[in-house]
Structure formats: C-alpha cells, structure tokens
C-alpha cells in the first residue's frame, strides 16, 4: 500500500496511522519523558523518550516514506544529524566531502571531528570523475550536498554512488535544498539522506530539526544506537510541527519552484546583476545532471551584482522589504542572506573565495508569496 502511494499522498499519509489510543487523525503530541511499566521491563513499546516517543516515531516514519527509505531518525538540528553520521567513523578514517557546503557542516568537520582523528578532503565534485582519485583504503564516507549551499552546484549522485559501491564506502547526501519532492538520493544509490528539517521539511521557520533516512537495516541499527546513546533527539512538540509542515511539502515546493524560476530569470535580465546561480538555467554547468536527477529546480538562488563589493551587496539586502535579511531558508516567507558574513562566515575567506563565495554574493530563499510583490521588492532594492 505504502509503496504504491504517489508522493503527493505520502506527504499526508506516508508512514502514518491513526492514533491507536482514540483514533485521533492527527498524531497527538506525546509530551512525556517516560512510560508506565506493569512489571520491570514490561511496557507497551515505549520506556523513555530519548529512545522512543510516539510523536517522534510518527515523524521518523514520515521521513522514511518520503525519501523511499525504510528507517527515519529525527534529531535536534541538522548538525546533530550530521554529527550522528560522523560517529559511525573511527580515528584514522577519511571522508571526502564536496568543497561547497553549509558553513556549519564545514565547521563541524574541521573544528570538531578533525580533532578526533578523522581526515577530511574537500573536493570540487562538479566533475564526478574527480572523486575516485581521492579514494584511499582509509576512505569510509563521501559527503555530498546537492544543490550546494550557496553556489547551487549540482553533483551527480548516481555517478558518485558507482564509486562508493565499488570501494565499499558509504555515500551520504544532504538533501536539504532539494527536498524529496525534487530529488530522492536513496533511489540514486546513496546510503544515507540527511536533512536540515529546519528548512523546507518544516517549512514555516518555527523549528530547528535534523533528519537521517536509510534503507539498510544494519546501518539503521548503528544510527539508532548513536541517536539513543548520544541523545541529540528532538522533542514531541517540534516533531508535531514538522509532521504538520510535511503535509503541505508538495504544494509549497511547487510554488517555491515557480517563484524561484521567475526570480532567477528576472535577475538574469537585470542590468545591475552580474551572475545568477540557479540550476534551472540551460547553461548552468551541470544543468543536464540537475534535469536528470531532480524533478524541478527549487527556490534557492544566489547572485552577485555588477558593483562587485561587500558594500554593493549590503546596500541591496538592506533595502529589501518583503525579503527578510536572515539566516536560514526553506520557509514560506522569502529570506535574503549574505553568505560571506552570515551562513559561511565560519569558512576561512581564502577557502570561501576558491568556491566562489565572494563578498558580493547574495543568497535568496524564495518564498511562496505573490511573485509580483517579490519582483517589485527586488526591483526597488536593486535600483
Ligand atoms: O541549522 P541546522 O538545522 O542545524 O542545519 C544545518 C544545515 C545543514 N545542511 C544544510 C544544507 C544547511 O543549509 C544547514 C543550515 N543552513 C542554514 C542555517 C543556512 O542559512 O544556510
């Protein structure tokens, strides 16, 4: 039954059942840390909420369903989810990571896990053939973000998966920007899908949360062990909010894609705009891969102005009225960000600039407001 459901049905029903206690159609918020036992060790499947909670379990099942996985795990933030994946590794292990990725992920890798003896190689993966020459017998994981934050590069998941399968390496894909509405990495050969559910999955900028989804039972057991043993879980109230958010993922994403495309094309024709980074353009370097592995191009766009300076970017973002200058993305409301000083400030300037994150770069998370209002807002900010 579940396998036969189309995506737009899964967002509403996937992994869900009516509450067994009273038949509540919406999953109740089980705001409890513990559960009664009749005799020591005898309970109804729940003993302590770090380990299991019915509201969180419902959400984890929904995550698994949307990504065509078997097992979902929810965490207190996207970074907590990435942290759990890294705990699969041992000192001496090596990780190959795309070189253009969220600044906080880079910080977690280089400032925390390098100190635990894990070695990271940050590699440009626009050419998937690039990856194999960095593989050694110590490589245990390839970490990929696609589209990348904030340069909107596209990485060929299927091609990288061929390499990871050949060398018996895990492939993890951060699917935050695309969401399962547009891209399902497990179907393309990835082993682990990760989300900052803070973003499109929650969709309303009111929760911080992370998710992992896998198909393999052994891997799932290892990750559940880490989730419980390290304890970076999310609470029932936040689980409820994201469950509610997911129910409209498909309709929100449809509008994010429409508005995103209109704004990408508007910016490209604007005389004051220099470069626009959006994978839907036919001349985007990996447009053909985006077209093959995604069902649309999403609502994230980066651009730079011809006045190639920090002040030029600051002038634009300060003038915006409907777009709010703020960290984060993926909510119903439009946001503008300045990666060099905000989301990617934790990457050293010379590293940042190698991947194109100049001081003049502006990132937009295009929301689902009326497209005319958004364009009028950009027009007055750029003028
Ligand atoms: O913020 P948190 O829920 O912990 O998720 C971290 C994270 C992981 N992966 C990607 C691709 C992300 O974009 C993020 C968080 N990003 C922002 C806050 C941002 O504005 O880019």
């Amino acid at each position: 039954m579940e396998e036969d459901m189309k995506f737009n049905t899964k967002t509403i029903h996937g992994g869900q059942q009516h509450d067994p206690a009273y038949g509540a159609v919406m999953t109740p918020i089980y705001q409890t840390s513990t559960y009664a036992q009749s005799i020591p060790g005898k309970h109804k499947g729940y003993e302590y909420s770090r380990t299991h909670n019915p509201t969180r379990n419902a959400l984890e099942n929904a995550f698994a369903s949307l990504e065509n996985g078997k097992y979902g795990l929810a965490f207190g933030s996207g970074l907590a989810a990435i942290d759990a994946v890294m705990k699969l590794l041992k000192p001496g292990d090596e990780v190959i990571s795309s070189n253009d990725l969220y600044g906080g992920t880079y910080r977690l890798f280089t400032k925390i896990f390098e100190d635990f003896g894990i070695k990271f190689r940050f590699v440009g993966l626009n050419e998937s053939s690039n990856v194999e020459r960095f593989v050694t017998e110590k490589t245990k994981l390839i970490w990929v973000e696609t589209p990348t934050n904030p340069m909107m590069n596209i990485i060929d998941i299927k091609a990288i998966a061929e390499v990871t399968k050949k060398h018996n390496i895990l492939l993890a894909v951060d699917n935050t920007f695309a969401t399962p509405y547009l891209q399902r990495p497990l179907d393309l050969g990835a082993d682990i899908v990760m989300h900052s559910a803070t973003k499109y999955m929650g969709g309303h900028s009111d929760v911080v949360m992370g998710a992992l989804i896998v198909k393999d039972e052994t891997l799932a057991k290892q990750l559940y062990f880490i989730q419980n043993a390290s304890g970076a879980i999310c609470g029932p109230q936040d689980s409820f909010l994201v469950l509610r958010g997911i129910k409209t993922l498909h309709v929100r994403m449809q509008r994010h894609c429409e508005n995103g495309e209109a704004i990408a094309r508007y910016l490209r024709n604007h005389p004051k705009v220099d470069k626009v980074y959006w994978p839907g353009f036919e001349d985007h370097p990996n447009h053909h891969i985006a077209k093959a592995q995604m069902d649309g191009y999403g609502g994230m766009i980066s651009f730079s102005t011809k006045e190639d300076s920090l002040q030029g970017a600051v002038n634009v973002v300060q003038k915006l009225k409907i777009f709010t200058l703020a960290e984060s993305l993926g909510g119903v409301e439009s946001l503008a960000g300045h990666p060099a000083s905000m989301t990617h400030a934790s990457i050293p300037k010379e590293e940042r600039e190698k991947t194109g994150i100049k001081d003049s770069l502006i990132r937009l998370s295009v929301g689902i407001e009326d497209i005319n209002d958004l364009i009028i807002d950009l027009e007055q900010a750029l003028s």
Side-chain angles (χ1 to χ4, degrees):
M1 158 81 178
E2 180 85 26
E3 288 89 64
D4 298 337
M5 273 186 205
K6 303 283 187 295
F7 188 87
N8 296 351
T9 308
K10 281 187 180 181
T11 56
I12 294 160
H13 300 289
Q16 305 304 297
Q17 51 181 19
H18 297 154
D19 183 60
Y22 300 108
V25 172
M26 291 300 139
T27 307
I29 302 169
Y30 281 94
Q31 193 75 47
T32 185
S33 60
T34 192
Y35 307 82
Q37 305 195 7
S38 51
I39 53 169
K42 192 164 188 296
H43 50 75
K44 296 178 177 171
Y46 293 90
E47 48 188 335
Y48 187 57
S49 280
R50 172 164 29 74
T51 318
H52 298 291
N53 173 280
T55 318
R56 194 178 88 223
N57 285 160
L59 173 65
E60 291 175 328
N61 292 340
F63 283 145
S65 166
L66 292 180
E67 287 285 3
N68 293 340
K70 283 203 183 133
Y71 308 94
L73 299 95
F75 294 85
S77 70
L79 283 174
I82 303 173
D83 181 90
V85 174
M86 291 301 137
K87 286 175 177 157
L88 293 167
L89 305 176
K90 302 265 180 303
D93 287 349
E94 292 180 7
V95 177
I96 300 171
S97 169
S98 46
N99 63 353
D100 175 27
L101 77 170
Y102 172 56
T105 308
Y106 178 87
R107 181 177 56 196
L108 178 68
F109 290 174
T110 56
K111 293 281 195 295
I112 307 263
F113 282 101
E114 268 183 4
D115 285 350
F116 287 101
I118 293 163
K119 188 167 172 190
F120 294 87
R121 288 166 196 267
F122 296 96
V123 177
L125 294 178
N126 283 343
E127 296 289 336
S128 52
S129 56
N130 213 4
V131 76
E132 200 159 8
R133 60 198 175 89
F134 292 95
V135 172
T136 74
E137 75 275 8
K138 291 183 179 162
T139 310
K140 293 286 151 49
L141 174 74
I142 296 188
W143 185 272
V144 162
E145 228 177 66
T146 181
T148 61
N149 181 0
M151 296 311 297
M152 306 304 297
N153 287 311
I154 297 293
I155 296 168
D156 188 338
I157 298 172
K158 224 181 202 168
I160 306 271
E162 276 169 26
V163 176
T164 53
K165 293 216 177 345
K166 182 169 146 198
H167 294 278
N168 205 17
I169 301 168
L170 288 174
L171 173 59
V173 176
D174 182 335
N175 205 27
T176 300
F177 270 34
T179 83
Y181 179 76
L182 298 178
Q183 174 173 282
R184 289 155 304 279
L186 297 178
D187 292 350
L188 300 169
D191 302 290
I192 302 172
V193 171
M194 176 263 154
H195 280 277
S196 169
T198 316
K199 312 298 185 311
Y200 290 104
M201 295 293 241
H204 297 75
S205 302
D206 49 11
V207 182
V208 174
M209 187 185 286
L212 298 177
I213 303 101
V214 301
K215 270 187 180 164
D216 180 74
E217 189 183 350
T218 308
L219 184 57
K221 280 187 178 155
Q222 289 173 308
L223 289 168
Y224 282 126
F225 179 83
I226 293 167
Q227 183 194 37
N228 183 47
S230 286
I233 48 115
C234 53
Q237 178 92 29
D238 285 352
S239 300
F240 173 85
L241 285 171
V242 175
L243 260 177
R244 185 160 83 161
I246 282 176
K247 289 186 194 293
T248 56
L249 178 68
H250 53 306
V251 282
R252 286 185 285 110
M253 286 310 293
Q254 191 181 346
R255 182 64 70 84
H256 282 296
C257 289
E258 286 167 18
N259 284 0
E261 171 157 14
I263 287 181
R265 295 197 188 282
Y266 159 80
L267 287 172
R268 187 170 235 201
N269 288 323
H270 199 286
K272 292 208 174 149
V273 171
D274 182 23
K275 290 211 172 77
V276 184
Y277 303 91
W278 179 68
F281 289 132
E282 289 72 16
D283 58 358
H284 179 288
N286 277 345
H287 174 70
H288 61 291
I289 298 167
K291 203 169 168 182
Q293 74 185 12
M294 300 174 75
D295 298 324
Y297 306 108
M300 295 302 297
I301 300 165
S302 293
F303 72 101
S304 54
T305 56
K306 285 192 178 142
E307 188 191 334
D308 187 14
S309 68
L310 173 65
Q311 197 52 48
V314 170
N315 287 346
V316 174
V317 294
Q318 276 189 331
K319 275 202 219 152
L320 288 165
K321 293 192 173 92
I322 295 179
F323 281 85
T324 303
L325 176 61
E327 305 252 354
S328 205
L329 60 110
V332 289
E333 73 295 327
S334 292
L335 299 180
H338 181 246
S341 63
M342 295 166 71
T343 48
H344 293 71
S346 52
I347 303 176
K349 191 173 163 74
E350 65 279 9
E351 290 302 316
R352 255 189 348 242
E353 292 192 339
K354 272 189 219 160
T355 56
I357 308 175
K358 299 191 294 182
D359 284 351
S360 57
L361 192 78
I362 295 170
R363 191 190 73 183
L364 299 180
S365 170
V366 179
I368 63 171
E369 299 95 335
D370 188 283
I371 186 61
N372 295 310
D373 287 338
L374 296 180
I375 288 180
I376 291 168
D377 194 27
L378 285 166
E379 185 68 30
Q380 64 79 25
L382 283 163
S383 67

